[in-house]
Amino acid sequence: MSRHQLLSMLGIVAVMGLFSACDMMGGLYDDTITGGDDRPDVPVVEQREGQYYIDATSYTKWVYINMHGDSLAITVADISTEDHTETGAPEEWDYAHHRYDVKTNDGSVVMTDCHSIEQLEAMGLPAETAWTKDEYSEQSITVDMSHMLEGYLDYAPGFKNREAGRWLNVDTSTMPPIYTMYDNVMLYRFKDGTFAAVQLVNYMSTDRYQTKGWMTVNYKYPIFTNQ
């Protein structure tokens, strides 16, 4: 083999090695995005948006929402009226509904002034925002309304996010109660640093009965991926 042929072969090997290294590193760069110095790298997920419609009428159930999987996942868990324990909660979740209450998985929420997700995207990520995290209370979640005429309700301890719960105000000072819905887009910041837009557009069933507690929600995740 001539010196010229040897150098040519070595060059081909080097190029093949370079492509192999790029293939290996390509998987790494496909799996994460850099969020900047102020937040860690987070998993890349396929952007999804749309609307979900859930039955949140029960006082003894949590409806869990997970936006981080291959598709939007909804799981229902039960709350015991005997000892207030919960069964059926998923390991991975982002936030959950209990009728009009909301809790997050170590996230935080802000109600924006926007009345559509498109408007929020055009406005951009709020520069200075007071994010609200969940709060714990021994009497947090109403699980039994049957004793209302006797002057008390049964509550379970737990966390809920009061900012997220602002999407529907229920005034019980009059009978029947007065329901005031706010369609302001809620901006969720999840524990991995990603953001989601969540907007309540109806709190009643879409059939002729218009049963309260059926939640129609617009969403988009992730948003502001370059922030």
Side-chain angles (χ1 to χ4, degrees):
M1 181 181 296
S2 68
R3 184 173 181 274
H4 176 73
Q5 290 174 320
L6 178 60
L7 290 175
S8 298
M9 181 176 293
L10 290 175
I12 293 173
V13 171
V15 170
M16 291 177 64
L18 178 61
F19 278 120
S20 298
C22 289
D23 290 341
M24 290 187 291
M25 294 300 289
L28 175 63
Y29 288 113
D30 289 342
D31 288 342
T32 60
I33 58 176
T34 301
D37 295 335
D38 57 343
R39 67 185 179 93
D41 291 348
V42 296
V44 170
V45 297
E46 180 182 352
Q47 188 176 75
R48 61 185 67 93
E49 60 184 308
Q51 185 179 94
Y52 62 82
Y53 175 61
I54 59 169
D55 179 359
T57 57
S58 176
Y59 285 92
T60 58
K61 295 184 185 298
W62 277 105
V63 182
Y64 286 87
I65 308 296
N66 181 18
M67 293 185 172
H68 277 76
D70 295 332
S71 61
L72 185 77
I74 300 175
T75 306
V76 179
D78 295 307
I79 306 169
S80 169
T81 55
E82 298 297 325
D83 60 7
H84 299 154
T85 56
E86 187 179 337
T87 56
E91 291 186 5
E92 301 294 332
W93 60 282
D94 294 313
Y95 63 94
H97 299 258
H98 174 270
R99 287 190 60 87
Y100 316 125
D101 297 324
V102 177
K103 66 179 177 180
T104 71
N105 188 1
D106 198 23
S108 54
V109 183
V110 64
M111 175 189 275
T112 74
D113 294 328
C114 300
H115 296 278
S116 73
I117 294 175
E118 292 77 14
Q119 183 184 3
L120 175 61
E121 288 186 297
M123 183 186 74
L125 182 67
E128 296 183 4
T129 301
W131 295 92
T132 300
K133 296 186 71 68
D134 295 19
E135 298 176 2
Y136 178 85
S137 173
E138 287 294 324
Q139 292 189 320
S140 180
I141 306 300
T142 305
V143 294
D144 189 352
M145 297 281 288
S146 64
H147 302 288
M148 183 169 56
L149 296 180
E150 301 170 46
Y152 72 95
L153 303 176
D154 185 22
Y155 295 93
F159 287 89
K160 68 180 179 183
N161 192 292
R162 298 190 182 279
E163 182 78 351
R166 290 176 59 197
W167 59 8
L168 187 67
N169 180 65
V170 183
D171 182 359
T172 57
S173 64
T174 63
M175 285 297 156
I178 299 173
Y179 290 76
T180 305
M181 190 190 82
Y182 297 90
D183 67 351
N184 300 60
V185 179
M186 298 288 180
L187 185 60
Y188 283 66
R189 182 174 62 186
F190 297 137
K191 62 182 179 181
D192 65 359
T194 58
F195 298 90
V198 178
Q199 179 190 31
L200 179 65
V201 293
N202 196 359
Y203 61 94
M204 295 185 291
S205 61
T206 56
D207 58 21
R208 63 187 179 92
Y209 300 105
Q210 294 190 312
T211 304
K212 293 179 177 63
W214 284 86
M215 310 290 276
T216 303
V217 178
N218 293 337
Y219 69 93
K220 186 168 185 177
Y221 175 79
I223 61 171
F224 307 132
T225 55
N226 295 323
Q227 303 296 320

